[in-house]
Amino acid sequence: MPAQIVIEEEQQQQQPLLHSTTTGGTEEEVVTSSLSNEPDALKRKFIGSNQRLLSIDVFRGLTVAYILMHLLDDFPPYWLIESNGVIKAFPSINHAPWFGVTIADFVMPFFLFGVGVSISLVFKKASSKSLVIKKVVLRTVKLFPLGLFLQGGYFHGRNNLAYGVAVAKIRWLGVLQRISTGYLLATITEIWLVRNVMVDSPTAFVQKYYIQWIVATLLLSLYMCLFYGLYVPNWEFQSPSLTLSTNGPHTQIVHCGVRGSLEPPCNAVGYIDGYFLGEQHLYRHPVYRRTKDCSVNSPDFGPLPPHSPEWCLAPFDPEGILSSLMAVLTCIVGLHFGHILLHHKCQMHRVVLWSMSSFALLFSGFVLQLLGIPFSKPLYTLSYMCITAGASGLFLTIIFYIVDVKHFRKPVVLLHWMGMNALIIYALAACDIFPAAVQGFYWRSPENNLVDGLESLLQSVLHSSKWGTLVFVLLEILFWCLVGGFLHMKGIYIKL
């Protein structure tokens, strides 16, 4: 899931982005983590008590840590907020089957939101817009293929040491591809659509950024028009033979002929992806296979129930084309929070304005679901965008208050280290490159490797597979925090 995108600016542009007044009355420099690769000599030129904006790093580190918790497939409980507002516990840490949100459904928006905040800080001043755009496009071009490599089929991950891909079935979209798209579009709005206005009042703030919000409104309008207005006809797909009593794959027909459906088989999000990307290039294990219609173990994966609908075996991409339009809006919300940070010197003013924006988004999300727009991560509905963006802002506000206002930094130093190199840790750990590489070295049989051996040892010591796995994952998180700390001490920050 997600990445730390660092913009390499010209040497003369590397300067303090913010000046804020501390409680002691002295002026300090607050520098975003996205510029953390500045030379030490340059950092020492800053006046006062050079203070980095550590809360952004901690925010990213917390998100990466939760991604690693997805290894706890059967550890209870996780909480689901259903579309009717009811909160209930599910028996594992996973995404909501279709409607509703769980803690896992906040991970992607948290990363997108953090990307938006960082963009607003990095591009405060750009001496050459065309040069900056070239660098941004270059980094996007690098990040998108990385997503293809990690999630398109080249690398099969832990417990499956094979690699390679059938080109006819490569998955074109994924987590990193969505982040690269949001990064590119949000950066374009920040570079080209922000007016050169001195912000000295709320009116001037609006004048400076209103074009950016007009574009966001147009993106939202495009999504809503296609989502509710596009006619979804009947469609067909090739059903796999291993789950059906047939002699081979055969064509299944899904009967739709509707507009504005939010159900798994007949929504505009899936139809657009199937039309433009092709059925063979979509995600083969969609989350709706854990619904009651498609799993006897719902809300977990399981065998098909008797008389299950034909669409249960159809592919669906949770990072599709249309839903990514709403994901871009999450980045733009992050831009808004970064703009507040830039133009308000008082720390408590920032906290108050961030809190107001966060609660407004949360309130809007719950109102929208009461009006009939349910929470759904696969569809990235408007209510889902609001509630997850609001939660992102609220969590960042809390972390900012604790870390950068009250300076309680030692308790979160591990998350800080992890967040400073979120990209490499995500690629190595969350995408299973490192665990699978370690598993590749074994004694006599593939089961005798360090990864599985340590997990089995903990399970036997604790006499519980669930608690043993929990301790194993916590140790893995600690390991990657220490790796991040080592890279930080060596001055290594991974850039694309």
Side-chain angles (χ1 to χ4, degrees):
M1 225 185 166
Q4 176 185 2
I5 303 174
V6 183
I7 303 301
E8 183 181 12
E9 295 186 307
E10 298 299 327
Q11 193 80 343
Q12 64 269 23
Q13 290 178 305
Q14 296 188 356
Q15 54 186 330
L17 294 179
L18 297 172
H19 297 273
S20 63
T21 303
T22 63
T23 54
T26 60
E27 187 178 7
E28 64 177 5
E29 314 289 352
V30 183
V31 182
T32 177
S33 61
S34 294
L35 295 179
S36 57
N37 57 332
E38 295 157 322
D40 291 339
L42 184 61
K43 291 181 181 179
R44 287 193 291 269
K45 293 180 182 179
F46 293 161
I47 301 173
S49 55
N50 178 20
Q51 300 270 348
R52 288 166 49 92
L53 190 64
L54 303 185
S55 51
I56 299 294
D57 291 324
V58 175
F59 181 81
R60 272 195 296 257
L62 184 64
T63 307
V64 174
Y66 185 76
I67 291 175
L68 297 180
M69 294 294 287
H70 276 78
L71 296 176
L72 302 177
D73 291 330
D74 299 313
F75 195 85
Y78 75 80
W79 298 96
L80 170 70
I81 305 176
E82 294 183 324
S83 57
N84 59 5
V86 175
I87 300 178
K88 58 190 292 188
F90 275 3
S92 64
I93 297 177
N94 214 326
H95 296 285
W98 187 255
F99 293 126
V101 289
T102 70
I103 296 176
D105 294 318
F106 288 85
V107 174
M108 165 65 80
F110 271 37
F111 267 97
L112 294 169
F113 178 88
V115 168
V117 175
S118 296
I119 288 172
S120 67
L121 301 179
V122 170
F123 296 112
K124 181 192 175 187
K125 293 181 180 180
S127 58
S128 173
K129 292 183 179 180
S130 59
L131 179 61
V132 171
I133 288 297
K134 288 180 182 178
K135 292 184 177 181
V136 169
V137 171
L138 178 61
R139 283 175 170 81
T140 302
V141 170
K142 291 179 181 178
L143 187 60
F144 199 96
L146 178 61
L148 286 178
F149 178 82
L150 296 178
Q151 298 164 320
Y154 290 91
F155 186 77
H156 297 161
R158 186 183 172 190
N159 299 322
N160 185 358
L161 302 183
Y163 64 92
V165 64
V167 176
K169 297 181 180 180
I170 186 173
R171 182 188 175 198
W172 295 119
L173 299 179
V175 173
L176 291 181
Q177 294 94 311
R178 170 169 284 182
I179 291 175
S180 66
T181 302
Y183 166 68
L184 175 64
L185 296 181
T187 301
I188 290 174
T189 67
E190 186 70 5
I191 296 298
W192 293 102
L193 302 181
V194 174
R195 301 181 64 197
N196 187 20
V197 175
M198 178 67 68
V199 176
D200 53 6
S201 67
T203 302
F205 184 89
V206 173
Q207 290 176 343
K208 187 176 183 69
Y209 298 111
Y210 80 91
I211 300 178
Q212 198 173 64
W213 284 102
I214 289 176
V215 171
T217 303
L218 292 175
L219 290 176
L220 172 60
S221 300
L222 177 60
Y223 170 88
M224 298 297 282
C225 289
L226 291 174
F227 187 77
Y228 286 101
L230 185 65
Y231 177 78
V232 180
N234 298 340
W235 55 281
E236 59 184 38
F237 69 98
Q238 293 297 312
S239 176
S241 60
L242 69 161
T243 51
L244 296 175
S245 55
T246 61
N247 295 325
H250 72 289
T251 300
Q252 285 275 14
I253 298 177
V254 180
H255 298 278
C256 293
V258 297
R259 299 179 193 272
S261 173
L262 279 70
E263 298 299 327
C266 298
N267 58 80
V269 172
Y271 175 68
I272 289 176
D273 290 338
Y275 184 83
F276 286 101
L277 301 177
E279 171 213 332
Q280 296 297 322
H281 301 287
L282 303 181
Y283 187 54
R284 310 304 300 184
H285 305 284
V287 69
Y288 60 65
R289 292 194 184 178
R290 294 191 290 105
T291 61
K292 292 181 180 180
D293 289 330
C294 301
S295 173
V296 296
N297 297 330
S298 180
D300 291 320
F301 288 107
L304 291 171
H307 311 294
S308 59
E310 67 279 353
W311 52 262
C312 285
L313 299 177
F316 180 90
D317 207 306
E319 281 81 40
I321 298 172
L322 185 57
S323 58
S324 291
L325 291 180
M326 294 295 288
V328 174
L329 294 186
T330 303
C331 289
I332 294 178
V333 172
L335 289 177
H336 168 70
F337 278 70
H339 297 155
I340 291 175
L341 190 67
L342 286 171
H343 299 297
H344 291 270
K345 297 180 180 181
C346 176
Q347 300 282 51
M348 291 312 299
H349 283 178
R350 296 168 178 167
V351 171
V352 170
L353 291 173
W354 277 2
S355 299
M356 291 173 59
S357 299
S358 301
F359 282 113
L361 286 165
L362 289 170
F363 177 77
S364 299
F366 281 106
V367 169
L368 286 169
Q369 68 91 15
L370 290 175
L371 294 176
I373 303 179
F375 306 132
S376 177
K377 177 188 179 295
L379 301 177
Y380 219 111
T381 55
L382 178 57
S383 60
Y384 170 77
M385 190 281 294
C386 288
I387 193 174
T388 53
S392 302
L394 186 59
F395 268 83
L396 179 60
T397 302
I398 294 171
I399 295 172
F400 175 76
Y401 181 79
I402 294 172
V403 176
D404 288 313
V405 177
K406 293 301 182 180
H407 303 291
F408 292 120
R409 297 175 176 177
K410 289 184 179 179
V412 295
V413 65
L414 294 178
L415 294 175
H416 170 223
W417 290 344
M418 182 182 287
M420 294 183 73
N421 275 289
L423 172 59
I424 189 62
I425 292 175
Y426 171 77
L428 292 177
C431 295
D432 284 335
I433 291 181
F434 182 79
V438 174
Q439 282 184 311
F441 296 89
Y442 56 86
W443 176 255
R444 294 185 177 177
S445 68
E447 293 77 18
N448 297 327
N449 61 77
L450 183 62
V451 177
D452 292 338
L454 177 58
E455 185 174 1
S456 299
L457 176 63
L458 292 171
Q459 290 173 346
S460 75
V461 168
L462 297 174
H463 305 288
S464 169
S465 61
K466 293 181 179 180
W467 288 102
T469 301
L470 173 63
V471 174
F472 173 79
V473 172
L474 293 177
L475 288 175
E476 183 177 5
I477 293 173
L478 177 61
F479 170 79
W480 287 111
C481 286
L482 296 177
V483 169
F486 174 80
L487 294 175
H488 170 54
M489 292 175 186
K490 294 296 183 180
I492 300 173
Y493 305 100
I494 305 301
K495 301 180 294 182
L496 289 178

